[in-house]
Amino acid sequence: MARFFRVLAGLLAALCLASVAHATPPAPGFSAKADAIIRRHVAARTFSGVVLVADHGKPVFRRAYGLANREWNIAATPETVFRIGSTTKTFTATAVLQLADKGALRLDDPIAKYYPNAPPAWSAITLRNLLNHTSGIPDFVSTTNGFIRNG
């Protein structure tokens, strides 16, 4: 599976670099090649999900593969909402640390500076607390079944 993600990342990186460098749509046959690579992994049951590649905000490749729910045999669609859990934490933390390195934010800034609707009880919580998992904010997935509720 790790190999698949390396291949997919390489494919997406190549498309992104080509788009940035030349500001042109993907090469002819890109969709067919991408689809063939992904279908091999679907057949091996190492990937189910949705792939979206965009060029300057315009989707150039958007397909769903495999099952969204194996227990109920429900096919994935481009509109399927997947619960991705913790997979984005590393990317978000990296982006926050890069912004801190550039001076665009401080790790000791209160989160209310960036999230004005934060409850008053969160006034002392900083970005550093979020990165260190020391904020005291309860796990929203276990308390809301994965859905953010207003009010």
Side-chain angles (χ1 to χ4, degrees), residues 6-21:
R6 285 193 305 269
V7 170
L8 184 59
L11 184 68
L12 297 176
L15 176 67
C16 292
L17 289 174
S19 296
V20 170

Side-chain angles (χ1 to χ4, degrees), residues 93 96-97 100 105-110 114 126-129 131:
V96 169
L97 292 172
L105 56 80
R106 293 178 330 106
L107 295 180
D108 294 316
D109 285 342
Y114 305 99
T126 66
L127 297 176
R128 184 181 310 276
N129 293 135
L131 292 171

Side-chain angles (χ1 to χ4, degrees), residues 28-129:
F30 169 80
S31 292
K33 289 177 186 176
D35 186 60
I37 291 169
I38 296 164
R39 284 191 185 280
R40 285 197 307 263
H41 293 280
V42 172
R45 293 181 57 111
T46 58
F47 178 76
S48 285
V50 177
V51 177
L52 170 68
V53 178
D55 180 31
H56 293 91
K58 179 182 173 193
V60 294
F61 182 82
R62 181 175 183 241
R63 299 224 177 108
Y65 298 90
L67 299 173
N69 183 311
R70 291 180 194 262
E71 179 182 1
W72 294 92
N73 201 35
I74 299 171
T77 71
E79 289 76 31
T80 299
V81 176
F82 294 95
R83 291 181 63 169
I84 58 174
S86 297
T87 58
T88 61
K89 287 180 184 176
T90 304
F91 300 107
T92 303
T94 300
V96 169
L97 292 172
Q98 287 176 338
L99 289 169
D101 280 346
K102 292 179 180 179
L105 56 80
R106 293 178 330 106
L107 295 180
D108 294 316
D109 285 342
I111 61 172
K113 181 175 180 178
Y114 305 99
Y115 178 47
N117 294 328
W122 295 4
S123 64
I125 298 172
T126 66
L127 297 176
R128 184 181 310 276
N129 293 135

